[in-house]
Amino acid sequence: MEMKNFTGGENPQKFAEFYCSVEFTGEVHGELIFLSVINTVLSITAFLGNSLILVALRRDSSIHPSSKLLYRNLAITDLCVGIIVEPLKVAFWISVVNRRWDICYYAYLTVYFAGVTLCLVSLITLTAISVDRLLALLLGLRYRQVVTLKRTRFIAVGGWIVSVVGASTSFLNLPILSFYGNIVIAFCFVTTICAYTKIFMSLRHNQIHGQNHVVQGQSSQANTLNKARYRKAVYSALWVQVTLVICYLPYSIAVAFRTRQGGMLISTYLAREFTVTLVFLNSSLNPLLYCWKITEVRQAVKETLQQLHFCT
């Protein structure tokens, strides 16, 4: 396939002009229609699944409020993907097929801004969840006094501000976003890896030496139950983290390959668009992970569905 040279500049506006052109996208209408159908379905599942999770989290009272707030924040980002980003991405593809370049241009810019923002918010929130799980292990009984709802809300709002600022900088100069994003991503991944490493090392140490200070059978049983519940919560958060990495990694590779080759093949463009769909799939998978791995959420979802069935 012929390589299309991109020499328009280093900001999303120039990329929008490049993608919204008949010279580049005239050969891929069938693939874009297929992607539009798939993402329409994913948009519906992300909306329904995360709406149900938000209702379930509101009903459940057994999860610590700070932890619940972080999961609620993550569900809100996935819900926004389903009701904002995916429909606009479909509008972008359909406008390319119908050669509505005015709609195409603004749809691309909106998807770009919202996508970068929500991606960073998700990453920061998952990092906060990993730190929250570590603090629950290290602080013990002091956890509820230190990790308060007010402080967690401050972290959540700060994550949104950092993400919006990062997405906004790209409209000035894309390398600024690359530098900004690399710092945020590196900080989040290093923090998450350190947190989970510390958690599993502590769990391993407690498993070997934790019985030395337990002398009564009843205390031993309660201690075992608490550890089992904590371990399950850690694995639940880790599953969500790993799923995000799996869904985002192919897109990162496609973008890096596009940047390295210095131009744009149609095949490279299609690879990028298909991997974007994989990123969107993450927002539909997360509600399934919550129901599968978090018993309290699964029970609340069942009760919510039973009430909806009763009402209908």
Side-chain angles (χ1 to χ4, degrees), residues 203-214 223 227:
L203 289 176
R204 178 64 177 171
H205 180 270
N206 292 338
Q207 184 178 1
I208 297 174
H209 303 286
Q211 300 299 324
N212 295 335
H213 66 281
V214 179
N223 188 49
K227 286 182 179 179

Side-chain angles (χ1 to χ4, degrees), residues 1 5 18 22 28 34 51 56 58 63 91 97 107 123 155 175-176 181-182 196 200 231 235 239 288 303:
M1 292 185 178
N5 291 323
F18 180 67
V22 68
V28 294
F34 173 76
S51 297
R58 183 180 181 86
I63 302 176
V97 173
L123 191 59
I155 295 296
I176 297 178
N182 288 337
Y196 282 117
F200 286 114
R231 189 186 297 269
Y235 276 108
W239 266 97
L288 298 178
E303 294 174 359

Side-chain angles (χ1 to χ4, degrees), residues 212-236:
N212 295 335
H213 66 281
V214 179
V215 294
Q216 296 184 3
Q218 185 176 1
S219 298
S220 177
Q221 184 179 7
N223 188 49
T224 302
L225 289 174
N226 289 334
K227 286 182 179 179
R229 183 175 180 179
Y230 173 79
R231 189 186 297 269
K232 190 173 183 179
V234 169
Y235 276 108
S236 301

Side-chain angles (χ1 to χ4, degrees), residues 269-284:
Y269 170 74
L270 288 177
R272 179 179 176 273
E273 298 305 287
F274 274 95
T275 54
V276 163
T277 300
L278 188 59
V279 170
F280 293 156
L281 175 63
N282 179 249
S283 297
S284 296

